[in-house]
Amino acid sequence: MMRSRFTLAVLLLLAAAPGFAQTPAPNITGDWDVTVNSPQGPNTTLVTFTQDGEKVSGIFKSQRGELPFDGGTLTGSDLAFSFTITTQGMQLPITLTGKVDGATMAGKADFGGFAEGDWTAKRSEAKTATSESPTTTSTTTASATTTAATTTTSALGAGGKWDVTVQTPGGELPASAMLTEDAGKITGTFAGPMGEVPVTGTIDGKALKLTVEAQTPQGAMTVIMTGDIDGDTILNGKAEIAGVGQMQWTAKRAKQ
């Protein structure tokens, strides 16, 4: 009798266990208002997540366009996903990690290894995107029209077209610059994979200093590029990105 009672108790326990031992896995499919706090300040964007088991993909949406991403994971309540923005012709990977808690999320943001921030999210009540997307925003394209006279330079001149190589955390990034020199003042354009942005600067002897500024979803981002012109080469190049960090760059004068 005691044995049968014990067996019955075990069976009842095993039958009841799934009801209190298993916690339903979160499902984040749907629209979320995601706020990322970057070095340039907070930015809230509508993100539509799609979940397939532990696989996560999604789309950042705004009036400026859409930025899809995939390769994310949701293991239990631990969420991780990445996307890449392009600013001043340079690619910057951003990785968000955190936890899902019902209708909210929170975690840490890594900006390409240059800086860190945090982020939060909540289920969106609105169905339309009213915030700015982390996609690369359009910038005013300066005129690239340059006469033959501006490409004629002395051994130490900065004028002309340059093939630029920027060392990013993700590897080498090719770009180009079209510069015009006039009494020590530099104007022109800096072109990368996503288009052109205007450049201003100065040259003092061999010392070159360029300022590149573009509008991003986090506001204006300024890059100060310095280097030494040695004939048809720019050496010792340093690119200082405001609020993010520093990268190295070199350039060679393009063959006409």
Side-chain angles (χ1 to χ4, degrees), residues 90 166 223-226 237-241 245-249:
M90 296 176 289
V166 182
V223 180
I224 304 297
M225 303 180 70
T226 57
K238 296 184 184 301
E240 186 75 31
I241 305 176
Q246 188 180 87
M247 292 184 289
Q248 296 180 339
W249 68 283

Side-chain angles (χ1 to χ4, degrees), residues 80-134:
F81 63 100
S82 300
F83 57 94
T84 300
I85 65 172
T86 302
T87 179
Q88 282 98 33
M90 296 176 289
Q91 292 186 325
L92 180 66
I94 300 175
T95 300
L96 304 185
T97 57
K99 288 187 175 294
V100 180
D101 184 8
T104 63
M105 307 178 189
K108 299 293 184 181
D110 178 86
F111 299 91
F114 289 112
E116 293 183 348
D118 54 46
W119 67 281
T120 59
K122 62 180 181 179
R123 285 278 186 184
S124 177
E125 296 179 359
K127 297 302 180 181
T128 59
T130 57
S131 58
E132 295 184 358
S133 166

Side-chain angles (χ1 to χ4, degrees), residues 8-196:
L8 179 60
V10 171
L11 291 174
L12 290 174
L13 179 62
L14 292 176
F20 60 81
Q22 293 183 347
T23 301
N27 190 322
I28 64 172
T29 296
D31 293 337
W32 295 74
D33 293 319
V34 178
T35 300
V36 179
N37 293 305
S38 74
Q40 281 72 46
N43 180 60
T44 301
T45 310
L46 179 69
V47 181
T48 299
F49 287 99
T50 300
Q51 181 181 343
D52 181 10
E54 293 187 349
K55 298 179 180 180
V56 173
S57 59
I59 304 175
F60 284 85
K61 298 179 178 180
S62 83
Q63 296 175 345
R64 296 186 177 183
E66 298 184 348
L67 174 65
F69 66 89
D70 55 19
T73 60
L74 179 61
T75 306
S77 61
D78 295 325
L79 175 65
F81 63 100
S82 300
F83 57 94
T84 300
I85 65 172
T86 302
T87 179
Q88 282 98 33
M90 296 176 289
Q91 292 186 325
L92 180 66
I94 300 175
T95 300
L96 304 185
T97 57
K99 288 187 175 294
V100 180
D101 184 8
T104 63
M105 307 178 189
K108 299 293 184 181
D110 178 86
F111 299 91
F114 289 112
E116 293 183 348
D118 54 46
W119 67 281
T120 59
K122 62 180 181 179
R123 285 278 186 184
S124 177
E125 296 179 359
K127 297 302 180 181
T128 59
T130 57
S131 58
E132 295 184 358
S133 166
T135 55
T136 303
T137 58
S138 299
T139 58
T140 302
T141 302
S143 172
T145 303
T146 307
T147 65
T150 62
T151 61
T152 302
T153 61
S154 64
L156 297 180
K161 184 177 181 180
W162 296 84
D163 293 325
V164 180
T165 301
V166 182
Q167 301 291 337
T168 75
E172 293 185 351
L173 176 69
S176 65
M178 180 67 77
L179 305 179
T180 301
E181 178 186 345
D182 183 10
K185 295 184 179 180
I186 304 295
T187 58
T189 58
F190 188 90
M194 298 300 291
E196 295 180 342

